[in-house]
Every structure is written in C-alpha cells, then in structure tokens.
Amino acid sequence: MDLTRPVRRWRALGKPQRTELYMRWSVYFATLTSPLVALNSVQGTADHPLSTELIVVMISASVIGSVLCGGTFRAGLNHRLGRRPAPVAWLVANGLLLATAVPALLLLAPVPAAGKLPVTTTEISYLTTFCCLSIITAMPLRAGILTCTAVLLLLVPAGMLAGTSLAVSIGLTVAITLWSAVLGAAWRSSVWIVSVVWELDAARETQAQLAVAEERLRFSRDLHDVMGRNLTTIALKSELAVQLARRGRPEAAEQMAEVQRIAQESQREVREVVRGYRAADLQAELTGARSVLRAAQVECTTELAEGTTAMPPAVQSVLGWVIREATTNVLRHSDARYCSIRLRLADGRAVLEIENDGVPTIPKPSTGSGTGLAGLRERLVVLGGELTCGRPGSGRHRLTAGLPLTAGSPDTALEASTP
C-alpha cells in the first residue's frame, strides 16, 4: 500500500481545495457521532432491555441521518459556491427521515416515569439537530431559521404524546434548540469561510491578469502616441508624392525623401518606447517583488552579493526582468508561502536563483500564452546567458538565470531581441 499517494494528492491541491476538503471531512466525522451514540445507548440498557424493533430503528435512523446530514452539507456547500442548484431532494429526504423516525422511536420506546425522558431522547436529539443543520446549511439564512424553528416547536407536542410532562418537553426542546444554534452557526461559518477562500483565490488570479492588461494598455497607449501622428504624416505625404509624380513634378522626390526621414524617425522612437517597456531596474524590481509577495502573504527573503550595483546596465536590466516574470509565475502558478531571491557573483558571472514552495504536483492550467520563460531565455541568450528551471524538492520550484558580467549594452540586447 502506497502511503505517500495521499500526501502527494494533498500537496497537489491549492489552498481553496485544501480548505474545502478540510471543512467537508470535519463535518463528515462530526456526523459519525450519531451512530456511535446509538450503539452506546443499546449496550447500556442491560437493566432496562429494549425491544429488537426499537434497537433496529435507533441504529438505522442514526446511520441514515448521518449519511443524509453529510450529503446535504456537501450539496449545500456546492450550492453556495454556485456549482449546483439548491439541494431540494436532500432536504426532503431529511424531512421524511425526521417525520418517520421520531414517531417510531416515541411509539416503540417504553413509557418513561413521571418527570423522566424517554430512553430514545438522545437519538431524537441527534436526528432533530442533524435535520436543522441540513436546513440551515442548504437554505437561505432567514428561511432556514424559520424552518428550523417550526421543526423544533413540533418536539413539544411529540414529547407530550410520548408520555412526558409539558415542562420536560419544553426543557428538551430548549436544549436541542441551543445545541442546534451553536452547531448551525459553526457549519454556516464553515461554508462562508470556504466561499471567501475561493473568492480570494479568484481575486488574486484576476489581479495578476489586470496587472498584465494594464501593462499592455500602457504600451499600446505609448505606441499609439508615438506612431499615430507620424503614420498620418507618412500617409498624407505619400499621397501627395503620388499626385506629384503623376503630374511629372520634381517635388515628388522631395516628398518621398521626407517620408523616408519620418519613417526612420518613427523607427527610432519605437525602439525608445520598446526599450522603456522591456528595460527593468534591478533594485526597483526587487522592491516591487517583495511588496507584491508580502501583500499576497508570501514570505520573501532576498540575498544579494556585494557589487551588484556595479554590474553593467544590461545585466541589471535582464535580471530585473527575470525577477518580474518569476514573481508573476509564483503568484499565478503556485500556492507559495515562501519565496527566496538570491543573487551571486562568481567567476565573472551573475547567477540569480528564485526558489518558492507551494508548487502543485499537477500544474495549474495557464490562461496566458505561455511565452514568458521563452522570452526570458531569448534575452539571456542574446547576452550569452542561460535560464534553467527545476524542482529541488517536493512542492518546490527553482528558477536559475546566469549570464556573464561582460554582457553587451542594453541597445545591443534590445536590437538583437527585437524582430
């Protein structure tokens, strides 16, 4: 038997999946108390033996009630998360069980002495509580409270029909009501916590997508501002040159020369815009990475070798871009709680290592084009560097970027990587 498989499956889950799984099984184990209590009640009746029919009803009702309660919680949770419609069938099943099991337990139980509770009181309490928990979990809050109130009020006449006094029936109803209220609040809070965790996970994914979209909008806006006027001028002068050439006017050559000059100027301006878009300041990216990771509750540590500020601008720019892309991947593709950034200088080379935990065994589906690491490799290759990725341990990921400190200038790297 492979005992490591459950561990691997657990590590493959994200934070929302782990939270939901923990809440589900906490409820499932809580519902097992009913059958255990029923068995204990049966064994503890040596002086006052119960009929076989009553024992069968108690055990059957407790087992069925536990299954229905756990199933209703699961269906209600899926309904609250928007995955399934309202679990009407589960609620009806809980109601039918309560409507049939409680009268059967009261009729089969021996008539209690004056001022005493029936021997089936504990089982009736569990069945009623489980029914109320199912209602409060699967139904809207106000409707659930009203329905549970109606169910609990029926216990008073039911107890009196079983031979108990009015005071004892009211006391039992109040006790079950308080117990149901406490457990109902806990279960309802569990559903709320799971939904909040899922919303936070979706918000973090949306935040990463918005950051990418904002950067694209900034680039498109800058490119439009630079190229809009020049392209309009080129179009007008080209049309004028065509008209002059058809008329045989020598000014057509002057207009085309002007078009050529504007095109060259536009090319230079586009390169400046792209340089500003692609360049990344190392210190600024480190500060931004720490801020973003800590905002996402990821502990971030940095370790920089002495002399990093004296590295060539091209090296700092490319390493800054590696930090930017790696930070985005940590937030989007893992459930990291820790991330370390180390920059070493040795043998004339700069080596940047970014390691994080929380990597699932089954990678999360990517919503992007998946060209981030490919773009980093291209920029590093231009400067004689390389990029490697690996997993030094279970649930961990390490990205290593290395390049020589004698790398070329930013203009050279930019022109080589720009088609």
Side-chain angles (χ1 to χ4, degrees):
M1 181 178 180
D2 188 5
L3 298 178
T4 62
R5 178 176 294 181
V7 177
R8 292 200 302 267
R9 293 184 62 182
W10 173 262
R11 291 177 176 175
L13 299 176
K15 292 180 180 178
Q17 290 88 350
R18 292 180 182 180
T19 304
E20 181 178 344
L21 188 62
Y22 171 76
M23 293 297 182
R24 287 183 187 274
W25 282 99
S26 297
V27 171
Y28 298 159
F29 281 118
T31 59
L32 294 178
T33 57
S34 178
L36 296 177
V37 170
L39 292 174
N40 184 64
S41 300
V42 172
Q43 294 176 357
T45 57
D47 298 334
H48 303 282
L50 303 180
S51 63
T52 305
E53 294 81 0
L54 180 57
I55 293 176
V56 172
V57 172
M58 288 180 63
I59 296 177
S60 301
S62 62
V63 173
I64 297 174
S66 298
V67 174
L68 288 180
C69 187
T72 308
F73 177 82
R74 180 177 182 179
L77 179 60
N78 289 331
H79 173 60
R80 293 297 169 195
L81 296 177
R83 302 170 183 168
R84 297 287 189 275
V88 178
W90 285 100
L91 293 174
V92 171
N94 278 275
L96 291 176
L97 175 65
L98 191 65
T100 55
V102 172
L105 291 173
L106 292 174
L107 292 174
L108 294 174
V111 177
K116 299 295 184 179
L117 294 173
V119 294
T120 56
T121 298
T122 304
E123 185 60 33
I124 293 175
S125 301
Y126 268 94
L127 291 177
T128 307
T129 302
F130 282 170
C131 183
C132 292
L133 291 177
S134 300
I135 292 172
I136 204 67
T137 302
M139 294 181 64
L141 183 59
R142 181 175 299 179
I145 293 176
L146 294 177
T147 306
C148 289
T149 303
V151 171
L152 292 168
L153 289 176
L154 292 176
L155 291 177
V156 177
M160 295 180 65
L161 291 175
T164 60
S165 63
L166 177 60
V168 173
S169 298
I170 293 177
L172 176 62
T173 302
V174 171
I176 296 176
T177 301
L178 294 176
W179 182 239
S180 300
V182 172
L183 290 182
W187 285 27
R188 188 84 180 193
S189 299
S190 300
V191 175
W192 176 76
I193 290 173
V194 173
S195 63
V196 168
V197 172
W198 275 107
E199 290 176 2
L200 290 176
D201 185 72
R204 187 174 67 171
E205 180 68 21
T206 302
Q207 183 181 17
Q209 294 177 359
L210 288 176
V212 175
E214 183 179 359
E215 186 66 12
R216 289 175 177 175
L217 287 175
R218 185 191 71 81
F219 177 70
S220 63
R221 183 173 57 250
D222 293 345
L223 193 61
H224 176 270
D225 294 341
V226 170
M227 296 297 297
R229 178 180 57 84
N230 291 348
L231 289 176
T232 301
T233 303
I234 289 175
L236 292 176
K237 287 188 172 293
S238 298
E239 183 179 357
L240 178 59
V242 170
Q243 297 296 333
L244 292 174
R246 289 176 179 175
R247 298 175 185 177
R249 300 285 297 274
E251 292 87 350
E254 297 177 1
Q255 294 296 328
M256 291 305 301
E258 183 68 14
V259 168
Q260 182 181 14
R261 185 191 65 79
I262 296 175
Q264 292 174 347
E265 181 68 17
S266 299
Q267 185 180 16
R268 183 187 63 80
E269 292 180 353
V270 168
R271 286 181 176 177
E272 291 180 355
V273 171
V274 174
R275 182 185 300 115
Y277 178 73
R278 291 192 173 185
D281 181 73
L282 180 59
Q283 297 299 327
E285 294 300 331
L286 281 172
T287 303
R290 285 195 296 264
S291 176
V292 170
L293 290 173
R294 289 171 181 173
Q297 298 183 349
V298 179
E299 181 183 356
C300 179
T301 60
T302 58
E303 181 182 343
L304 303 180
E306 295 183 1
T308 55
T309 57
M311 293 188 302
V315 176
Q316 295 194 41
S317 177
V318 173
L319 293 180
W321 187 264
V322 173
I323 293 175
R324 181 190 302 181
E325 181 68 24
T327 303
T328 302
N329 290 338
V330 170
L331 294 176
R332 297 187 62 180
H333 303 301
S334 69
D335 295 313
R337 297 181 180 178
Y338 173 79
C339 180
S340 64
I341 303 175
R342 298 184 296 271
L343 179 58
R344 298 180 287 106
L345 302 180
D347 300 328
R349 293 179 60 83
V351 180
L352 176 66
E353 292 183 354
I354 302 176
E355 184 174 337
N356 64 278
D357 61 357
V359 179
T361 305
I362 302 175
K364 292 184 177 181
S366 176
T367 57
S369 59
T371 59
L373 295 180
L376 290 180
R377 287 191 176 91
E378 292 177 358
R379 297 177 188 183
L380 288 166
V381 168
V382 169
L383 299 178
E386 70 282 338
L387 181 73
T388 58
C389 300
R391 294 195 176 189
S394 178
R396 306 186 69 84
H397 180 270
R398 178 184 296 167
L399 183 145
T400 304
L403 71 164
L405 295 175
T406 57
S409 65
D411 290 341
T412 304
L414 176 64
E415 291 176 1
S417 60
T418 303

